[in-house]
Amino acid sequence: MGRLDNKVALVTGGNSGIGEATAKLFAQEGAAVVITARRENELIRVRDEILAAGGQCMYVPGDVTVTADVENVAAKTVEAYGRIDILVNNAGIPDSHKRVTWVTDEFWDEVHDTDLKGVMRFCRAVLPHMEARNYGSIVNVCSIGGIYYCAGAAYSSAKAGLRGLTVNLAIQYFSTGIRINSVSPGSTLTPLFDPERMGDIDVEMMEITAQRHYQDRTVGMLDPKQQAYAILFLASDEASGINGQDIVVDGGGRL
């Protein structure tokens, strides 16, 4: 307990899955947490559960693909708490393992606008506040899809781009007290794996990637909290010597 005492943390996609688990863990560790996402009802639920457990939390609805929303979330956080110590860029959408021949221009743009450009927007909005204090930690939620390229064309390329953005930002801000790292989750039991979403999966593409990767050796789906603990470590001062790095959290499934 207390690993994030007196810290202010902003978590995107904080209303479900890995974002929800991260927000709750951060609050348990003493942070004042601001969560943002598009679905306000779910934001209210997570906020109320954190408050009921004795933590600090507020929510600001917003869409990572809308610049005005992103800037509003950052401004409201600073208005409420005076600073932003930690940013967790978790919000993202899947691409159902679609092969490139199944991908329309519109679908490609939607995935990249959310999973890559949305992170850029939040970093752009938050970094000036961190730079003014020469302190901050940003953790981007990438994916094994961006490391092993085993998802669909749109998602794999967006997450690979996000890994590149993470390293580039770490280089840009090397001389400050700001660290930028990432985690790359493997299969994790989140709402993205709900049956209604799975119905859109390109099964043949999954079988193609399984020929090269672990599927027969997987230890199973991970819990969102297992991802949250890795995010917590990178966000905390315990990781003060770690910058521009990525932690793959997949239970060893791709060894």
Side-chain angles (χ1 to χ4, degrees), residues 24 28 33 69-70 77 86 122 145 167 172 178 196 235 248 250:
K24 289 179 175 177
Q28 290 172 18
V33 181
D69 284 6
V70 172
T77 302
I86 299 164
F122 259 99
V167 175
Q172 286 187 49
I178 304 169
E196 59 269 22
V248 174
D250 70 345

Side-chain angles (χ1 to χ4, degrees), residues 4-238:
L4 298 181
D5 280 349
N6 302 313
K7 297 290 196 294
V8 178
L10 170 56
V11 180
T12 74
N15 61 350
S16 67
I18 294 171
E20 175 181 349
T22 299
K24 289 179 175 177
L25 182 59
F26 278 20
Q28 290 172 18
E29 293 292 341
V33 181
V34 178
I35 55 176
T36 183
R38 291 177 296 182
R39 293 174 293 154
E40 187 169 7
N41 287 342
E42 289 300 296
L43 287 170
I44 292 171
R45 176 187 61 80
V46 175
R47 187 272 315 268
D48 290 348
E49 289 175 3
I50 290 174
L51 294 179
Q56 299 182 69
C57 184
M58 64 176 276
Y59 76 88
V60 184
D63 185 334
V64 300
T65 69
V66 179
T67 297
D69 284 6
V70 172
E71 292 174 348
N72 179 61
V73 173
K76 289 289 178 61
T77 302
V78 173
E79 180 183 330
Y81 295 107
R83 65 188 192 279
I84 301 172
D85 299 306
I86 299 164
L87 169 64
V88 177
N89 284 304
N90 166 74
I93 59 174
D95 74 349
S96 302
H97 282 75
K98 292 186 187 300
R99 285 165 282 180
V100 69
T101 52
W102 290 20
V103 175
T104 64
D105 288 355
E106 293 76 18
F107 183 75
W108 178 277
D109 290 345
E110 180 184 11
V111 173
H112 278 250
D113 199 20
T114 303
D115 293 359
L116 178 55
K117 195 172 180 180
V119 175
M120 182 280 294
R121 291 186 182 97
F122 259 99
C123 288
R124 184 175 62 191
V126 168
L127 276 165
H129 298 288
M130 292 182 170
E131 192 171 17
R133 300 173 55 244
N134 289 316
Y135 180 84
S137 177
I138 296 176
V139 183
N140 296 325
V141 178
C142 293
S143 169
I144 58 170
I147 301 294
Y148 302 109
Y149 319 113
C150 53
Y155 188 84
S156 291
S157 58
K159 290 298 186 177
L162 178 52
R163 180 68 196 128
L165 176 63
T166 299
V167 175
N168 182 267
L169 290 175
I171 293 170
Q172 286 187 49
Y173 288 87
F174 179 78
S175 62
T176 73
I178 304 169
R179 298 180 297 108
I180 300 97
N181 294 288
S182 62
V183 298
S184 289
S187 296
T188 304
L189 196 57
T190 73
L192 296 182
F193 286 91
D194 287 345
E196 59 269 22
R197 289 179 180 267
M198 292 295 287
D200 193 39
I201 290 285
D202 181 350
V203 176
E204 186 175 346
M205 179 62 182
M206 290 188 70
E207 291 173 348
I208 290 169
T209 59
Q211 292 173 12
R212 295 188 59 244
H213 295 294
Y214 68 85
Q215 209 153 49
D216 291 337
R217 295 158 54 198
T218 181
V219 296
M221 299 280 281
L222 298 183
D223 185 275
K225 199 165 186 178
Q226 291 175 285
Q227 308 295 342
Y229 275 116
I231 295 169
L232 169 64
F233 169 66
L234 289 176
S236 74
D237 290 338
E238 295 169 7

